């Protein structure tokens, strides 16, 4: 069951794409949690046929989990993460076009529009206008998308909630324990259940490819040799692997952070390091990338990049490219500061001749930067100073904050109260005596990053909903709605200059400008959501 802001946003997303009837079913599931069909009929007050059709739509588009239990029967639950990911579908299509050209973008867009499709359906749908050459090109691009995990098979396991499977596997492991279980045995049971779940997911992703055997005669020995190759299985339904595209979004954020911290040349070197290990990056939860060599980074570095322009060199003679790459990697690894603070500020780690990109360290830093931006926007520079002070030092009382932060005592208390109301800082009570008398207590302030991130994430969901509601309200304005409907006519769309009046064209231009501003704002907010939610898999308060 989702909180109010998340439920409103998910309902708005479903309403925009699938209409009001499907949105009403999704809203009931979001507000009441998992329900059976009879309960859905009672809460939605819709016809059984309509509710079943809405459920089929949500299942087809991977927005619904279903589970079977002896007590409740078959129950349904909304996949909230998949629903929120629909805000990035446009970026996924753009990334597919950058990686695989127009054919890749068309395949990804078609699969996103239909939820899941089989390869013959994809090729037949996209090769209508060019039935001769298009099928071969599309089949080749589809094979690359499946092979590199941008498309993954849709199996029965993908429609079951991972949380349900994890609980069931963990219960099975606990039943194997004899006697009263210890804390170590419970932890081991949970680890075994998680490993089993990961193994099942990995095995399910291998379903989409099958082996084909080619028989040919060897010229010298005249013997038959069997060459095994992989091809896409036409009987399997494929869906878009959002996590694979999210990796590209994460890598771009990392490169932008390095370019902002140092310069464009440092960002180019880090981009090359990410490119070198990109084929092996499959999970956002990876702590660090696979090791790669300096030579591999040099191969992925564009030739037009002038690395010498980003460094202050002692001599006028330009050093070799490999030397410059090592200099930049040393800067990115904070090699001149071998302390805990230096490691926390690093982008890569050096180990002999190999380097690794530290995803976990960078993710924590990006999350902290988002929270600092919120503190600065709402409480000014003093709020950021207090936030950083409590993060670096730990628990402190008001007098210590006032003294170390060099702020007047009369300004500290209202500032802490305002920041506490937004969960940017939290209060810990330490009693002096056993009776826990409020007058005899230490009140220590600290930053709970998990709580602060969760609260700000809900605020961002609320902002995204307001943006969508504002866009819809602007679009439903009577004058604009009439002009938009007129522009959709085939004759008007072919000659807008002649068939639309000057006032109508000005109204459309104003609407396009407003929509562009709202889209840019939505993209920025969604980027902050990505940092706090998708990169929030790491425990940011375990330092």
């Amino acid at each position: 069951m989702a909180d109010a802001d998340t439920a409103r946003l998910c309902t708005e997303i479903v309403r925009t794409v699938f209409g009001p009837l499907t949105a009403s079913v999704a809203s009931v599931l979001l507000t009441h949690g998992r329900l059976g069909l009879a309960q859905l009929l009672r809460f939605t007050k819709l016809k059984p046929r309509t509710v079943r059709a809405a459920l089929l739509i949500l299942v087809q588009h991977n927005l619904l989990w279903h589970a079977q239990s002896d007590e409740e029967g078959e129950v349904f639950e909304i996949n909230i993460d998949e629903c929120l990911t629909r805000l990035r579908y446009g970026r996924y299509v753009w990334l597919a076009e950058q990686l695989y050209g127009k054919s890749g973008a068309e395949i990804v867009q078609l699969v996103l529009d239909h939820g899941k499709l089989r390869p013959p359906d994809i090729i037949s749908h996209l090769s209508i206008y060019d039935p001769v050459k298009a099928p071969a090109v599309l089949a080749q691009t589809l094979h690359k998308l499946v092979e590199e995990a941008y498309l993954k098979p849709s199996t029965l396991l993908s429609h079951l909630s991972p949380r349900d499977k994890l609980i069931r596997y963990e219960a099975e492991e606990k039943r194997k324990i004899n006697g009263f279980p210890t804390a170590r045995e419970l932890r081991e049971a949970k680890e075994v259940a998680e490993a089993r779940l990961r193994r099942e997911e990995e095995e399910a992703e291998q379903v989409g490819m099958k082996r084909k055997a080619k028989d040919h005669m060897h010229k010298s020995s005249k013997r038959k040799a069997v060459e095994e190759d992989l091809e896409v299985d036409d009987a399997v339904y494929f869906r878009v692997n959002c996590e694979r595209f999210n990796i590209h979004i994460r890598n771009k954020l990392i490169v932008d952070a390095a370019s902002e911290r140092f310069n464009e040349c440092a960002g180019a070197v880090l981009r090359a390091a990410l490119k070198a290990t990109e084929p092996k990056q499959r999970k956002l939860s990876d702590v660090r990338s696979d090791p790669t060599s300096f030579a591999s980074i040099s191969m992925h570095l564009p030739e037009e990049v002038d690395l010498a322009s980003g460094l202050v060199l002692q001599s006028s003679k330009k050093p070799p490219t490999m030397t410059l790459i090592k200099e930049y990697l040393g800067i990115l690894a904070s090699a001149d500061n071998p302390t805990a603070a230096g490691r926390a500020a690093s982008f890569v780690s050096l180990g002999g001749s190999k380097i690794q990109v530290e995803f976990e360290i960078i993710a924590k830093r990006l999350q902290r930067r988002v929270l600092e931006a919120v503190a600065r926007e709402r409480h000014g520079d003093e709020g950021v100073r207090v936030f950083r002070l409590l993060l670096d030092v730990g628990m402190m009382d008001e007098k210590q904050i006032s003294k170390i932060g060099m702020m007047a005592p009369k300004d500290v208390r209202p500032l802490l109260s305002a920041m506490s109301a937004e969960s940017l800082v939290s209060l810990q009570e330490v009693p002096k005596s056993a009776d826990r008398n409020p007058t005899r207590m230490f009140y220590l302030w600290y930053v709970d990053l998990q709580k602060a991130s969760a609260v700000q994430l809900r605020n961002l969901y609320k902002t995204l909903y307001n943006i969508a509601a504002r866009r819809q309200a602007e679009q439903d304005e009577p004058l604009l709605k009439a002009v938009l409907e007129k522009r959709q006519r085939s004759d008007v769309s072919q000659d807008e200059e002649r068939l639309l009046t000057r006032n109508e064209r000005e109204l459309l231009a104003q609407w396009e400008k407003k929509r562009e501003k709202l889209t840019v704002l939505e993209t920025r907010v969604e980027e902050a959501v990505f940092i706090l939610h998708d990169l929030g898999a790491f425990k940011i308060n375990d330092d």
Side-chain angles (χ1 to χ4, degrees), residues 463-475:
T463 303
L464 286 172
Y465 171 78
N466 291 338
I467 293 172
R470 172 66 182 273
R471 184 190 292 115
Q472 189 63 38
E474 292 281 352
Q475 193 172 352

Side-chain angles (χ1 to χ4, degrees), residues 403-501:
K403 181 178 179 181
I404 300 176
M406 293 183 291
M407 300 171 62
K410 63 182 180 63
D411 298 332
V412 172
R413 177 168 292 183
L415 178 60
L416 288 172
S417 300
M419 295 178 70
S420 177
E422 298 175 357
S423 298
L424 289 172
V425 297
S426 301
L427 187 63
Q428 176 66 51
E429 300 174 351
V430 181
K432 296 181 181 179
S433 57
D435 59 353
R436 302 186 67 87
N437 191 330
T439 60
R440 292 193 297 273
M441 278 193 181
F442 295 107
Y443 293 96
L444 303 179
W445 295 94
Y446 71 102
V447 175
D448 186 348
L449 283 174
Q450 291 287 354
K451 180 181 177 182
S453 298
V455 172
Q456 298 310 318
L457 193 59
R458 288 198 296 269
N459 292 337
L460 292 173
Y461 287 155
K462 185 176 181 179
T463 303
L464 286 172
Y465 171 78
N466 291 338
I467 293 172
R470 172 66 182 273
R471 184 190 292 115
Q472 189 63 38
E474 292 281 352
Q475 193 172 352
D476 290 341
E477 191 178 349
L479 291 177
L480 178 61
K481 189 175 182 180
V483 176
L484 290 174
E485 290 177 352
K486 181 179 179 180
R487 189 171 67 169
Q488 289 179 354
R489 287 165 36 190
S490 58
D491 56 337
V492 177
S493 61
Q494 293 175 1
D495 191 4
E496 294 185 3
E497 290 292 331
R498 190 169 61 87
L499 297 178
L500 289 179
T501 64

Side-chain angles (χ1 to χ4, degrees), residues 17-225:
V17 181
F18 304 112
L21 295 177
T22 307
S24 63
V25 175
S27 176
V28 169
L29 290 172
L30 286 164
T31 53
H32 292 82
R34 56 170 57 189
L35 296 172
L37 182 60
Q39 295 168 311
L40 272 174
L41 293 173
R42 185 169 68 252
F43 286 126
T44 58
K45 299 179 181 179
L46 297 174
K47 295 181 180 180
R49 183 179 178 182
T50 304
V51 174
R52 288 193 185 96
L55 292 176
L56 285 175
I57 291 171
L58 295 174
V59 170
Q60 173 67 23
H61 288 269
N62 314 303
L63 297 178
L64 200 68
W65 282 321
H66 60 87
Q68 190 78 28
S69 62
D70 298 332
E71 298 82 8
E72 301 175 336
E74 187 177 22
V75 292
F76 304 96
E77 180 183 1
I78 286 289
N79 185 351
I80 297 175
D81 292 338
E82 189 74 26
C83 186
L84 295 174
T85 305
R86 299 187 72 88
L87 295 172
R88 303 189 198 123
Y89 277 9
R91 187 177 294 188
Y92 293 165
V93 175
W94 180 82
L95 286 171
E97 185 175 6
Q98 300 298 313
L99 294 169
Y100 299 103
K102 185 179 179 181
S103 60
E106 290 176 348
I107 292 174
V108 171
Q109 184 172 358
L110 182 67
V111 177
L112 289 174
D113 289 342
H114 290 80
K116 54 179 77 71
L117 284 174
R118 294 183 304 170
D121 300 330
I122 297 173
I123 295 174
S124 63
H125 193 281
L126 294 176
S127 58
I128 296 176
Y129 301 105
D130 189 6
V132 179
K133 297 181 180 179
V137 177
L138 292 170
Q140 185 179 6
T141 306
L142 181 62
H143 185 278
K144 292 180 181 178
L145 288 168
V146 175
E147 187 178 28
E148 298 182 14
Y150 290 97
L151 294 179
K152 64 179 182 179
S154 179
T155 61
L156 292 175
L157 291 175
S158 62
H159 294 286
L160 300 176
S161 174
R163 185 171 58 252
D164 288 344
K165 291 185 287 186
L166 184 62
I167 292 173
R168 187 171 70 251
Y169 295 160
E170 192 172 348
E172 292 176 1
E173 294 298 326
K174 288 179 179 178
R175 283 197 293 268
K176 298 178 183 178
I177 302 174
N178 296 324
F180 191 77
T182 62
R184 179 181 178 182
E185 290 174 336
L186 292 175
R187 184 173 64 253
E188 291 176 351
K190 185 176 181 180
E191 292 174 355
V192 171
E194 291 175 349
R196 180 180 173 184
L197 183 62
R198 285 195 301 269
R199 186 170 61 251
E200 282 189 356
E201 291 175 352
E202 292 172 359
E203 291 174 354
E205 291 179 358
Q206 302 300 324
V207 176
M209 305 292 286
K210 66 178 182 180
R211 296 187 180 276
K212 61 178 181 179
K214 293 181 180 179
D215 296 343
H216 57 85
M217 301 297 293
H218 197 277
K219 291 183 180 180
S220 60
S221 62
K222 304 294 184 182
R223 289 185 310 167
K224 251 185 195 181

